Amino acid sequence: MSKQYFKKQVLEKSKNSSMEKENPKRTNIFSRHLKKIYPIVGLHRTCSPLSLSSLSLSLSQNSTDSSLTDSSTRPLDQKISLALRLIAPIERREALVPKFLQQPNANSEDGTPRRCNWITKNSDKVYVQFHDECWGVPVYDDNLLFELLAMCGMLMDFNWTEILKRRELLREVFAGFDPKNVAKMSEKEITDISSNKDLTLAECRVKCIIDNAKCITKICEEYGSLSSYMWDYISYKPLINKYKYPRNVPLRSPKAEVISKDLVRRGFRFVGPVIVHSFMQAAGMTIDHLVDCFRHEECVNLAERPWRHV
């Protein structure tokens, strides 16, 4: 062979050798994946598994709520989950993701659905049922809205369990909470209701419900319905919150304060911001189930349906 051929071979080998020295990671497939992963996780490559666990625990303890969805502020455990999915073979990706991330709304240890923290093993069945079936479900019926407003007003004297146990009897004595019928109640009917030992409602509370019914009839004349009046404040779309801890759930809100102020101006009684916010929660105007409660996703799905106001 010619000298030129050998010279060409030597030059090519020298060129390849220098490229390998400049790019030692070029043939490392795992390194190429790491370049994609670390910007997502936001951690240095020197972090050990122990340091990742410590950081995750620290973040979970110091977090306040999960309302942020931006990737830059995404919880660390979700970032790690995404990183594992990207670098693992397809058939192993699901196996590498922790179970609590795969099923955030899984059942509790005792096999029951995971509920908001204020629902405990000692909670009355009627209270649990109200949480599971009613609380946070959007309500558009005027009679039911009136009923919920009256029940929330009773929170001044009773708790939810005590009120819910009286619910059927309340519907009976207040004519199904039809505002027109309640507004026409006589003094005798007021006396009969206030003397009912099963209800234990003070006469002033009974008169308050009747006075509020009269105010509702005026609202219906102006807005067409109580539902139209209430839902107009939030543009007919429930406010969806993503609270992680009970301490994050407020007792009142700016929107409740605005509605409360206008209701008072119209002559309503027992409609302070705290009562109005409780009403908004019960009527599904605001979704305040905790994010790990099985009802959160269900109520959000109801809230995100096409406009259903009538």
Side-chain angles (χ1 to χ4, degrees):
M1 297 183 181
S2 65
K3 293 181 179 180
Q4 292 182 350
Y5 176 80
F6 283 110
K7 185 176 182 180
K8 184 177 180 181
Q9 291 288 339
V10 171
L11 288 174
E12 288 180 355
K13 290 181 179 180
S14 177
K15 184 177 179 181
N16 291 336
S17 176
S18 62
M19 290 179 65
E20 290 177 359
K21 290 180 180 180
E22 293 176 359
N23 300 294
K25 304 172 189 175
R26 187 176 181 184
T27 58
N28 191 328
I29 298 176
F30 184 73
S31 297
R32 290 204 301 271
H33 285 295
L34 290 178
K35 291 180 182 179
K36 298 178 182 179
I37 301 307
Y38 284 113
I40 298 174
V41 178
L43 297 173
H44 296 292
R45 296 180 59 181
T46 55
C47 288
S48 65
L50 178 60
S51 64
L52 291 178
S53 300
S54 301
L55 282 171
S56 179
L57 177 60
S58 175
L59 288 174
S60 65
Q61 288 175 336
N62 296 329
S63 61
T64 55
D65 66 56
S66 57
S67 59
L68 299 177
T69 56
D70 192 311
S71 61
S72 63
T73 55
R74 187 177 298 165
L76 181 58
D77 51 8
Q78 293 183 12
K79 295 179 181 180
I80 295 173
S81 170
L82 180 58
L84 291 172
R85 285 175 177 272
L86 289 173
I87 65 175
I90 295 176
E91 63 274 9
R92 293 184 57 207
R93 288 180 184 177
E94 291 298 328
L96 284 173
V97 181
K99 291 183 178 180
F100 75 93
L101 291 176
Q102 293 182 34
Q103 299 177 340
N105 293 329
N107 292 345
S108 302
E109 294 180 359
D110 59 358
T112 60
R114 184 173 295 160
R115 297 180 172 90
C116 296
N117 291 27
W118 49 87
I119 301 295
T120 67
K121 293 180 180 179
N122 297 325
S123 296
D124 194 280
K125 291 182 180 180
V126 69
Y127 185 44
V128 177
Q129 183 180 7
F130 181 67
H131 168 274
D132 291 356
E133 300 176 6
C134 304
W135 201 73
V137 175
V139 175
Y140 305 101
D141 179 76
D142 275 11
N143 292 11
L144 187 51
L145 287 171
F146 178 29
E147 175 185 317
L148 291 174
L149 186 61
M151 291 169 64
C152 289
M154 293 171 62
L155 289 170
M156 299 286 289
D157 301 315
F158 309 100
N159 59 40
W160 269 116
T161 299
E162 294 170 333
I163 295 170
L164 291 168
K165 287 183 175 180
R166 295 168 168 82
R167 191 173 193 177
E168 291 303 321
L169 185 55
L170 286 168
R171 288 175 174 173
E172 182 182 337
V173 300
F174 285 108
F177 284 97
D178 184 327
K180 293 181 180 179
N181 293 333
V182 176
K184 297 176 182 178
M185 283 187 169
S186 63
E187 287 295 329
K188 183 182 181 303
E189 289 175 303
I190 295 175
T191 302
D192 291 341
I193 295 173
S194 59
S195 61
N196 190 316
K197 294 182 180 180
D198 293 327
L199 281 177
T200 62
L201 271 181
E203 186 174 325
C204 63
R205 298 296 188 190
V206 178
K207 289 183 177 180
C208 170
I209 294 175
I210 294 173
D211 290 342
N212 286 351
K214 295 176 181 178
C215 295
I216 291 175
T217 56
K218 294 179 181 179
I219 282 180
C220 291
E221 292 175 0
E222 183 178 350
Y223 288 87
S225 66
L226 176 62
S227 181
S228 295
Y229 167 80
M230 287 294 185
W231 284 93
D232 184 59
Y233 276 102
I234 55 174
S235 301
Y236 303 96
K237 186 174 179 60
L239 305 174
I240 300 174
N241 296 308
K242 297 181 179 180
Y243 300 121
K244 187 173 183 180
Y245 304 108
R247 65 175 179 268
N248 302 140
V249 183
L251 291 176
R252 56 200 293 169
S253 64
K255 189 66 67 175
E257 291 177 358
V258 172
I259 297 175
S260 171
K261 185 176 180 179
D262 191 62
L263 289 174
V264 172
R265 182 183 66 82
R266 293 174 178 274
F268 282 80
R269 299 165 59 191
F270 292 105
V271 286
V274 175
I275 289 177
V276 171
H277 187 68
S278 295
F279 164 78
M280 293 177 68
Q281 292 173 320
M285 294 178 68
T286 178
I287 309 301
D288 280 357
H289 283 283
L290 300 183
V291 290
D292 62 351
C293 174
F294 84 100
R295 285 295 289 163
H296 180 270
E297 184 178 354
E298 294 178 358
C299 288
V300 168
N301 290 338
L302 291 174
E304 292 180 340
R305 289 183 305 177
W307 187 53
R308 299 180 65 84
H309 178 75
V310 292

